[in-house]
Amino acid sequence: MENEKNHIIPYKTFLYVLAGLIALTLTSVTLTQISLGAMTVTIALIIAAVKSSFVLSIFMHLKFENKMFSRAVIGVILLLSAVIAITLLDYLNR
Amino acid sequence: MSRENNTVEPSYLDYKGKYKGIFSWILSTDHKRIAILYLFSLLAFFATGATLGLLMKLELIAPGKTIMTAQTYNAFFTLHGIIMIFAVVIPGLPAVFGNFLLPIMIGAKDVAFPRLNLLSWYFYVAGVTLVLISQFTGQGPPDTGWTFYAPYSFRTTGNMLPAVFGAFVLGFSSILTGLNFLVTIHRMRAPGMTWLKMPLFPWTLYATGWVQLLATPIIGITLLMIIAERTLHIGFFDPTLGGDPLLYQHLFWTYSHPAVYIMILPAMGAISEIIPTFCHKTIFGYKFIVASSIAIAFVGYFIWGHHMFTSGMSGTALYTFSLLTFLVAIPSAIKVFNWIATMYKGSIDLQTPFYWALGFLFVFMIGGFTGLILGSLATDIHLHNTHFVVSHFHFIVFGGTGFAFFGAMHYWYPKITGKMYDTRWANTGLIIFFAGFITLYGEMIFLGMKGMPRRYYDYDEVFHTGNIFSSLGAIVMYFGLAVIIINLIASLRNGAKAPSDPWGGKTLEWTIPSPPPVENFDEIPVITKGPYNYK
């Protein structure tokens, strides 16, 4: 496509992100050994969300694409959040 | 724009491409040929599913063992459900009529990703093949029902893995079709076709595409979790491994309720095309119908819990899901009001597709009203595990989607095949089918209210008379289906040549020859008016 801009991300950035993802994975695994009660799932989800945002923005180039794609992804995240929130209406009130 | 393009290009049926014979079909990336591939495979699977359904009803014609054992009955309703849901009604209208007509109705030459489109069909066939393999290998066919409910689905000795993996592969087919349609609609509409000049069938395919794209991965992951649980003993759903069986139901229905809208939204789209054409009148409330399609797709994500009212959810969740369930009735009712308002003072031409549309309205309303009864917590407690739910479900899925599918088939048959069908046989088949349908499923409403459980192969003597009526209805309906399908097949050979616009339709497919040329349009049309311009 003529109008598309090509964004070349330096390898160094990829390596930093990879290191970050590995560190966060190790953190997740470590946290499973510690009893944090109800916060266990919350923290695990936060870490997973941070990892996903790295993958989406850097590896999948969302950071450099048309804003429409970012909005679409945000819409999907909101939808998924609503689905999880409604599911929790069951789990938190049993 | 000329009414009929005097094209010199051969029709898609006559086109001699790179491959010959069967390969000119199974290697074709033409959206019309892929639609025909879907049509014939879908009809074969439908015939299989319908025959299984008929055999089950014959088993139920009398208490006790009649023609099969209880285990065979369990296997039959499982296979009937998997085939009918995943291989017939979910792909049904989008894969067949969506594939054939979406590009034409928006003025495009093909879908955005033709090869991906063909790949979707291969996934579709592979998925059903895996499901069928599960019947004849391992330690017996699956017997869980199409819902694969945990914990039974990983404790049964039935051959679950190929069936579950087959459903997983079918999900991929659905995702790819949805993605293809979304991109096609966003990027390939003809010049001048703004969003609000797009016909209603593509609009419903658009709403459906989002549901296919966003909801189907959830069932994919869930089915993989079952496989992981059975093979690796990871405790997602098994309480003995620390899992939660209700989590499975949440995940399953988070997809499978929106899937009902994958089935019904394109059906509503087809009805929205048929009614204005045969009333020769602009559709009433176009913008409201568009908005209601989006609203149904959106609200449909949040009401899955009404399948779980008797499963043991918290009270808060029960009330919330009940309220949300009632909300989705509003956009559905808007559509029905608009269809009826379109008929008012219309110049109605009573042709076979219009009769199907009327039949759709009748059975869909019964399905809708029985749905409201089930959406109420108090009544659902009594009716949930009875024939009432089976009846409601078939009124919506077979009555809604099935009637619309056959309506669409009779409406677009001249365009797809280039032939007219025999109207007398078509109407006769419809009447027989309708009589059988109402007897079969109507009686099941009363059986359910009396307390006849679903998924039981035996029953108390008190339900015998009702089951005789219901089973006889099944035989009549099956006969009606045979008349309809034989008539359509015979008309391929004997039917008169179809003109480009036999019904007086106004959307773009009626401006090109029947059957359409390979690239649909000699020149991409420029759209200046709305799709239902009957003034």
Side-chain angles (χ1 to χ4, degrees):
Chain A
M1 297 270 184
E2 290 166 15
N3 297 331
E4 276 184 7
K5 292 175 193 168
N6 289 319
H7 290 276
I8 298 175
I9 303 171
Y11 280 118
K12 205 163 61 177
T13 309
F14 282 136
L15 287 174
Y16 286 147
V17 174
L18 180 64
L21 290 172
I22 291 169
L24 285 168
T25 305
L26 291 174
T27 311
S28 284
V29 173
T30 310
L31 283 173
T32 57
Q33 310 299 318
I34 305 167
S35 178
L36 296 169
M39 290 305 288
T40 311
V41 175
T42 312
I43 292 172
L45 281 174
I46 290 170
I47 293 175
V50 172
K51 284 163 68 183
S52 307
S53 63
F54 275 133
V55 173
L56 283 167
S57 56
I58 306 295
F59 288 151
M60 297 177 78
H61 280 224
L62 202 61
K63 194 176 169 186
F64 315 105
E65 290 288 352
N66 191 312
K67 290 288 174 211
M68 190 195 85
F69 294 110
S70 304
R71 284 189 212 116
V73 171
I74 291 167
V76 172
I77 290 169
L78 288 176
L79 181 74
L80 192 63
S81 307
V83 166
I84 292 171
I86 293 174
T87 309
L88 287 177
L89 283 178
D90 175 23
Y91 280 89
L92 299 180
N93 294 293
R94 277 189 201 165
Chain B
M1 186 168 53
S2 66
R3 191 84 200 113
E4 184 169 354
N5 287 351
N6 293 319
T7 179
V8 290
E9 200 180 32
S11 87
Y12 79 100
L13 293 171
D14 298 328
Y15 176 67
K16 305 280 184 237
K18 195 167 151 190
Y19 304 102
K20 289 178 183 170
I22 185 78
F23 294 106
S24 70
W25 289 90
I26 63 172
L27 296 177
S28 171
T29 52
D30 179 357
H31 66 101
K32 298 178 287 297
R33 288 199 166 216
I34 293 170
I36 301 296
L37 287 176
Y38 268 113
L39 175 64
F40 278 96
S41 7
L42 192 135
L43 283 177
F45 303 142
F46 175 69
T48 310
T51 305
L52 290 168
L54 178 69
L55 291 172
M56 282 191 287
K57 289 311 293 182
L58 290 178
E59 166 54 38
L60 290 176
I61 205 164
K65 185 185 169 190
T66 312
I67 60 166
M68 64 181 82
T69 63
Q71 190 57 34
T72 308
Y73 185 82
N74 289 351
F76 272 29
F77 74 62
T78 301
L79 186 60
H80 170 79
I82 296 173
I83 288 183
M84 287 303 210
I85 295 290
F86 292 111
V88 177
V89 285
I90 287 180
L93 278 119
V96 177
F97 299 107
N99 256 322
F100 197 99
L101 290 148
L102 172 66
I104 302 176
M105 291 179 87
I106 64 169
K109 293 192 171 184
D110 206 321
V111 292
F113 307 115
R115 287 181 184 174
L116 201 64
N117 202 14
L118 183 62
L119 182 66
S120 304
W121 180 75
Y122 278 105
F123 275 141
Y124 172 69
V125 174
V128 180
T129 306
L130 279 167
V131 171
L132 293 176
I133 285 172
S134 73
Q135 303 299 306
F136 307 107
T137 54
Q139 298 179 323
D143 57 352
T144 57
W146 73 277
T147 51
F148 307 121
Y149 263 17
Y152 185 62
S153 56
F154 46 80
R155 289 185 184 159
T156 174
T157 54
N159 195 14
M160 291 303 299
L161 290 184
V164 171
F165 192 63
F168 176 78
V169 174
L170 282 165
F172 265 94
S173 169
S174 188
I175 292 169
L176 295 183
T177 302
L179 176 71
N180 219 337
F181 286 180
L182 286 175
V183 178
T184 305
I185 291 169
H186 268 279
R187 303 304 296 263
M188 296 178 71
R189 280 173 286 131
M193 184 173 279
T194 55
W195 284 99
L196 292 179
K197 286 199 178 100
M198 188 163 74
L200 288 163
F201 185 54
W203 256 115
T204 53
L205 291 172
Y206 181 72
T208 306
W210 279 111
V211 182
Q212 286 174 300
L213 189 65
L214 298 183
T216 316
I218 298 172
I219 189 83
I221 295 293
T222 310
L223 296 176
L224 284 185
M225 287 162 89
I226 287 189
I227 293 171
E229 187 136 353
R230 271 184 79 99
T231 53
L232 305 172
H233 306 291
I234 299 171
F236 294 119
F237 310 123
D238 187 349
T240 59
L241 296 172
D244 176 15
L246 265 191
L247 176 64
Y248 176 80
Q249 294 189 27
H250 274 298
L251 289 169
F252 180 84
W253 289 113
T254 302
Y255 162 74
S256 295
H257 193 77
V260 174
Y261 300 106
I262 298 177
M263 306 167 199
I264 203 68
L265 274 168
M268 291 169 158
I271 297 300
S272 301
E273 297 298 331
I274 292 171
I275 287 177
T277 297
F278 292 96
C279 294
H280 298 107
K281 190 165 166 245
T282 307
I283 195 146
F284 183 86
Y286 169 89
K287 286 181 186 171
F288 277 88
I289 297 182
V290 168
S292 63
S293 296
I294 302 296
I296 288 172
F298 182 72
V299 180
Y301 276 106
F302 306 117
I303 60 176
W304 73 87
H306 65 221
H307 296 271
M308 302 163 59
F309 282 166
T310 58
S311 298
M313 278 192 303
S314 74
T316 314
L318 291 174
Y319 302 136
T320 309
F321 280 120
S322 182
L323 173 70
L324 291 169
T325 299
F326 278 96
L327 286 182
V328 85
I330 297 170
S332 304
I334 287 173
K335 283 183 188 293
V336 174
F337 286 131
N338 283 323
W339 291 326
I340 292 170
T342 305
M343 291 181 213
Y344 180 65
K345 289 192 176 176
S347 180
I348 295 177
D349 183 12
L350 288 171
Q351 297 282 352
T352 310
F354 189 74
Y355 286 128
W356 278 105
L358 290 179
F360 168 91
L361 279 177
F362 184 75
V363 293
F364 183 68
M365 292 306 291
I366 296 176
F369 285 130
T370 49
L372 290 178
I373 292 168
L374 293 169
S376 309
L377 292 170
T379 44
D380 185 77
I381 300 293
H382 293 279
L383 295 169
H384 190 83
N385 277 315
T386 72
H387 263 40
F388 191 94
V389 168
V390 185
S391 173
H392 155 72
F393 179 73
H394 282 83
F395 267 106
I396 288 287
V397 172
F398 194 13
T401 310
F403 271 66
F405 185 91
F406 284 112
M409 175 67 94
H410 286 86
Y411 180 52
W412 283 305
Y413 182 93
K415 180 57 57 187
I416 293 170
T417 64
K419 295 289 181 77
M420 300 301 290
Y421 50 81
D422 187 318
T423 309
R424 275 178 308 171
W425 279 112
N427 291 343
T428 307
L430 166 57
I431 290 166
I432 298 169
F433 173 81
F434 187 77
F437 183 95
I438 293 293
T439 315
L440 163 57
Y441 299 116
E443 184 57 45
M444 284 166 82
I445 292 180
F446 299 107
L447 281 168
M449 283 162 65
K450 284 181 194 166
M452 165 130 182
R454 58 173 161 164
R455 294 184 164 176
Y456 279 33
Y457 109 118
D458 193 9
Y459 53 82
D460 192 272
E461 185 63 35
V462 72
F463 303 121
H464 191 186
T465 310
N467 271 298
I468 291 174
F469 272 110
S470 184
S471 298
L472 289 176
I475 296 167
V476 173
M477 189 182 79
Y478 198 81
F479 180 64
L481 271 175
V483 172
I484 291 162
I485 291 172
I486 290 169
N487 178 48
L488 291 177
I489 292 171
S491 300
L492 287 175
R493 182 186 290 265
N494 307 325
K497 190 176 182 326
S500 63
D501 187 5
W503 316 122
K506 296 289 181 188
T507 38
L508 281 177
E509 74 272 29
W510 304 114
T511 64
I512 61 173
S514 307
V518 178
E519 294 201 322
N520 302 340
F521 301 94
D522 285 344
E523 284 178 27
I524 296 296
V526 176
I527 310 301
T528 53
K529 293 173 182 168
Y532 308 105
N533 186 25
Y534 283 93
K535 288 173 186 166

